[in-house]
Amino acid sequence: MDKRSEMHRRERRRYIVGYGGSLLLTLAVFTIAYKYGIQTKGVYLSIALLGLAQLIVQLVYFLHIDRRRSSREDLDLVLFSTLVLLIIILGTVWIMGNLAVRMHTYPM
Amino acid sequence: MKRAPTHSYPGLNLGRRHASADKASEVVTFGFWVFLMSDLVYFGLMFAIYITMIDAQAGGPGPHELYDLKSIFAQTLILLTSSLTVGLAMLALKYNLPRARIVLWFGVTLVLGLSFLVLEIRDFMAMADKGGIPQRSGFLSAFYGLVPLHGLHVATGCIWLIVLGIQLRLFGLTDRLMSRVVRLALFWHFLDLIWIGIITIVYFGGLSYG
Amino acid sequence: MTTAETGFFGRLSWDAFPIAGLIQTPNANEIVANSAAAVVLVGVVAVVGLLTWFRLWGPLWRDWLTSADHKKIGIMYIVFAIVMLARGVLEGVVMRAQQAAGPGDGFLEAEHFAELFSTHGTIMIFFVAVPFVFGLANFLIPLMIGARDVAFPVMNQISLGLTVSAGMMLMVSLVVGEFSTGGWTAYPPYTGAAFNPGVGPDYWIWAIVVSGIGTTLTGINFAVTIYKLRAPGMKFMRLPMYCWTIICSSILIVFAMPPLGVAALMLAADRYLDFHFFTNDLGGNMMNYANLFWLFGHPEVYLLVLPAYGIYSEVFSTFSAKRLYGYNSLVIATMSIAVLSFTVWLHHFFTMGQSALINAVFGIATMLIAIPTGVKVYDWMATLYRGRIRFSVPMLYGLAFLMLFVIGGLSGVILANPTVDYQVHNTLFLVAHFHNVLLPGVLFGLLAGYNYWFPKAFGFRLNEFWGRITVLLWTFGFMLTFLPLYFVGLMGMPRRSFSWENPDFHPYMIVAVLGALVILLALLSVIVQLWISIRDREKTRVPVGDPWDAHTLEWSIPAPPPPYNFAIIPQVTDRDDFAAAKERGAAYPTPDAYEDIAMPRNTGIGFLLCVLSGIWMFALVWWIWWLAALMTVLIILSFIAWTFQTDTEEVIPADEVRKQHQAWLDLVHNSTPVDRDYEAAPENRGLARPDLEAAT
Ligand code: HEM
Ligand SMILES: [Cu+2]
């Protein structure tokens, strides 16, 4: 019984840590946005990186995806999905961006 | 001695105490996870479309006129908190806490989900007042193709919560129901991940660009 | 009329029926259109009549429509695919006739011709190739991996229901209204509301969306089945090659169907809600559509051809009496093709205007696919090499494939070069290329699989003689129809044109239409073969279950298999486990004990969703909003109601299993094993004398 409530506490802590971490990152992002505006590349880059960090925090703390698992199928699947997503998103942006420039679609 | 593997699917696992429900969950939850990955591609593509159409404002209103960061901030906090409460509901289930506790966390999650939707719809209406309707430009079409899609998912999650609530009442904590709760929690967390993408790319990205 | 101001029947009126056109303007074009509608109606009446006459409604409902058995679902998929194949082939022949009737305008109107190539392409890809591929997979995968069903039997039934209801929309469009004229790719602005406000593109959109959902669910189902439900000992590297191809193809579905769904739904948003994704005005960009469509389209063709590769792998190894050569390299090649297929989509629109650098990158990526494909071809040839080859029907399809597919593949490498593609883009050269990979590649593979596994499904073999005739007709029909198109394509004849003027094209068009007639005979011959095989079934029964001395688990059980497939879940110790067991003399073991087996109960949910989604699509196409809303609610409610069911399994008691299994084992022990020389003879009851010499 004791071991169970110990487990319970540990797993609850895990959620709360994840929540706290995400909260901090969210606050950081919005603070930056308010303080500096989002006009420069640098600011946006830091916002994007913080967003990425939050993705990872939630994957680990909420979705329990990590490398310690007995079976790594889920992580493999996430990584493969990421690969496909990167190919199609970056590919799309590359192709369509290039077309936009070459066809002078937009006033720039 | 090596501990038996207790983790066999994404999200919080039910563990050995609920061995039969845990086993029942393994295949289904993996299947659901694969489905989520497919869904993720949907969102990924809508993100890509949004990025390629950010310039296609056709003289209509753009991000600066339309986005209301305060409201987005509130929605973010609400969704994040609901992700926590869904987790707590799962824990209550896993550790056999009193039924009232499970219902409480479910209820809180539902309320949070609904308030998120209310805020989001208010945002859309405010945008529409400023001429920000999907028929106005390619950019706005892309926006309305993406953000409400996420909202639709949240609404589905809310319906799911209600249905599960009813089923919990009717059938009690059967294996099948527990394994459904596992998937609901997974779904809810997944929606939070997508939301992070939305604030980063749609809102901040839009503002930094437009 | 705008979307808002429509009445009780939406925009549906009497003009929507083709007979109205025939009355107003009686000409060849209208006669063809009305005959097509008549064929659909007569077909429906005939089916209903026959079912009623033979009192088959009950069995149909109990044994098939509500069954969650993967084998039956697989068979229903294949029946559906063959019906659609008949329509697709007929349309192909009509198109060839139209072009052969030139120079000039032929007998069809431009619109009608456009409808023909649009339905033909849509049907062949989505309602022939996909359901045939996954029909076979449905039947085979659990048997091959030693499982009792797929991971989600009811979802499987729903997938079938959605695919069929979507296919029915194409049939309905023959009778009510018209189909899209925008090709199977449905590019806007051609399919946009500004250019084409009619119902055609809407039929396309909803058929694609609904069948896309069905296919996605299938992909998930099979990925999970192979991942999680393999029999003990069936490690990944012991999987039959066919299972590898299905797992790759399932993964392709999971990741490649979304772009199609996105593209179709965005097109719907443009057409129904006045969005501006692809329109000409207000920032819309139709090039986005091409990009999205081919993000799906390219993986799609690999999702079709990989399973065919899998079938050929099984066929070559069985009928050469050898193990598959280069298993590891085949696995790696399959996986590389799957991954690479996500990196080449741009080769379908080299001419859209992006920079030479981008074209070069995607061109090179495309050529890379030739490497793993080449590896496969050599592995297959090495499998044949020094084998004891039997020229059975599946093997003949395989040999036709090996020779012809290489031509198709090489013309693909030619097209992968952007500079060349600029010359032959949108010509019949391309049509020749993709039919060259789709017929000898996909279709022959499926037909080979149909001949190969038919005895497993129904317990008797297909007629060899008519099988061979069919192979010959398909092969020569294909060559006559499509090889000339390479040449006219190079001469500059554009695809999708209902009319042409250059007299140099004429001889090629004549040859092509003759070929199309041979293909028509091939189709008839498929039916004749089936007819004769059913008639003579008592002479070709193979109840023991292993008519070809094959290698994989599905042959180690009775033909047809019992509902639970395996009385005892096998313990796998080897790749080609059944072959190994036969070599050891350990096939057909008598188990010590039997256990109760729980199987999914029948359920009507798949059929219900099939009907509801069909009405839903029809209502959307015709703007009957109240009906569409009603159907949406009903679909959601019936799904929710289904989740309230608790009693979803039925148990087959161990005693029953024992009785059936023992009876079959007795049959095994009392049958005489036959040599390969008697494979096609009545003596072949499905017990093989293992060909030891060749196996070592
Ligand atoms: C069996 C005999 C077949 C014949 C006689 C035939 C004939 C044709 C013809 C005449 C066209 C129009 C070419 C043009 O654009 O000018 C066409 C297009 C097409 N066919 Fe076939 N075909 C056959 C089988 C198949 C099969 C088995 C598949 C796929 C599995 C297939 C897939 C397609 C596709 C995707 C198109 C393009 C449609 C479009 O332009 O949008 N065909 N076929
Ligand atoms: Cu391609």
Side-chain angles (χ1 to χ4, degrees), chain C residues 5-191:
Chain C
E5 49 194 58
T6 56
F8 188 75
F9 288 114
R11 50 174 163 169
L12 189 56
S13 71
W14 289 116
D15 293 342
F17 296 89
I19 193 76
L22 185 64
I23 293 166
Q24 281 152 20
T25 46
N27 59 20
N29 184 60
E30 289 299 337
I31 290 170
V32 174
N34 274 278
S35 321
V39 168
V40 173
L41 293 178
V42 170
V44 170
V45 171
V47 170
V48 171
L50 286 176
L51 285 173
T52 313
W53 182 256
F54 290 106
R55 297 174 189 278
L56 288 176
W57 287 105
L60 179 71
W61 177 255
R62 277 190 305 275
D63 297 344
W64 295 92
L65 298 182
T66 58
S67 168
D69 181 336
H70 69 95
K71 300 182 285 301
K72 293 191 169 160
I73 291 178
I75 292 168
M76 285 189 277
Y77 263 118
I78 295 174
V79 170
F80 172 69
I82 290 180
V83 171
M84 296 307 270
L85 175 72
R87 170 164 171 202
V89 168
L90 282 173
E91 287 174 330
V93 175
V94 174
M95 281 189 286
R96 287 267 61 92
Q98 159 79 3
Q99 290 190 330
D105 288 350
F107 53 93
L108 294 177
E109 283 163 18
E111 291 287 302
H112 192 172
F113 188 77
E115 266 184 72
L116 278 172
F117 64 70
S118 308
T119 42
H120 168 81
T122 308
I123 285 179
M124 285 297 194
I125 299 289
F126 296 104
F127 302 110
V128 174
V130 172
F132 210 145
V133 163
F134 276 91
L136 276 177
N138 249 298
F139 184 80
L140 290 169
I141 289 297
L143 301 182
M144 280 189 160
I145 63 175
R148 294 212 162 107
D149 210 323
V150 294
F152 309 114
V154 178
M155 190 166 100
N156 200 17
Q157 199 198 43
I158 295 176
S159 299
L160 171 69
L162 296 181
T163 307
V164 171
S165 76
M168 283 304 122
M169 280 301 111
L170 275 100
M171 291 305 191
V172 171
S173 78
L174 278 181
V175 183
V176 194
E178 72 277 330
F179 195 71
S180 174
T181 47
W184 84 286
T185 49
Y187 275 13
Y190 206 66
T191 48

Side-chain angles (χ1 to χ4, degrees), chain B residues 43-210:
Chain B
F43 280 109
L45 289 163
M46 292 314 293
F47 280 124
I49 295 291
Y50 179 84
I51 296 171
T52 64
M53 291 197 117
I54 187 102
D55 263 328
Q57 294 168 9
H64 285 287
E65 292 97 29
L66 295 174
Y67 296 164
D68 172 7
L69 273 191
K70 279 205 197 73
S71 169
I72 302 306
F73 184 57
Q75 288 167 42
T76 310
L77 290 187
I78 291 175
L79 207 59
L80 183 57
T81 311
S82 74
S83 224
L84 175 70
T85 55
V86 140
L88 294 176
M90 269 289 296
L91 282 180
L93 190 88
K94 175 168 176 181
Y95 291 100
N96 294 6
L97 300 188
R99 183 78 59 86
R101 204 60 99 67
I102 306 177
V103 174
L104 171 75
W105 288 128
F106 263 7
V108 175
T109 310
L110 181 61
V111 171
L112 289 172
L114 290 175
S115 10
F116 171 86
L117 287 176
V118 170
L119 283 185
E120 181 157 76
I121 290 170
R122 249 190 29 177
D123 272 6
F124 294 157
M125 289 184 352
M127 284 174 68
D129 278 345
K130 294 181 213 153
I133 52 169
Q135 289 80 3
R136 180 60 191 82
S137 69
F139 158 70
L140 280 159
S141 295
F143 175 90
Y144 280 99
L146 170 54
V147 182
L149 183 67
H150 174 267
L152 201 63
H153 278 70
V154 176
T156 310
C158 290
I159 297 178
W160 192 353
L161 258 174
I162 296 170
V163 172
L164 269 187
I166 298 172
Q167 291 179 337
L168 272 177
R169 256 223 103 107
L170 284 180
F171 308 129
L173 273 179
T174 60
D175 285 358
R176 281 176 83 199
L177 275 192
M178 280 207 265
S179 117
R180 280 183 193 159
V181 177
V182 169
R183 292 196 296 282
L184 173 66
L186 207 57
F187 184 63
W188 208 275
H189 293 320
F190 170 77
L191 292 185
D192 209 11
L193 293 182
I194 300 294
W195 183 252
I196 298 173
I198 290 185
I199 46 179
T200 311
I201 293 176
V202 174
Y203 290 110
F204 290 129
L207 288 172
S208 82
Y209 193 86

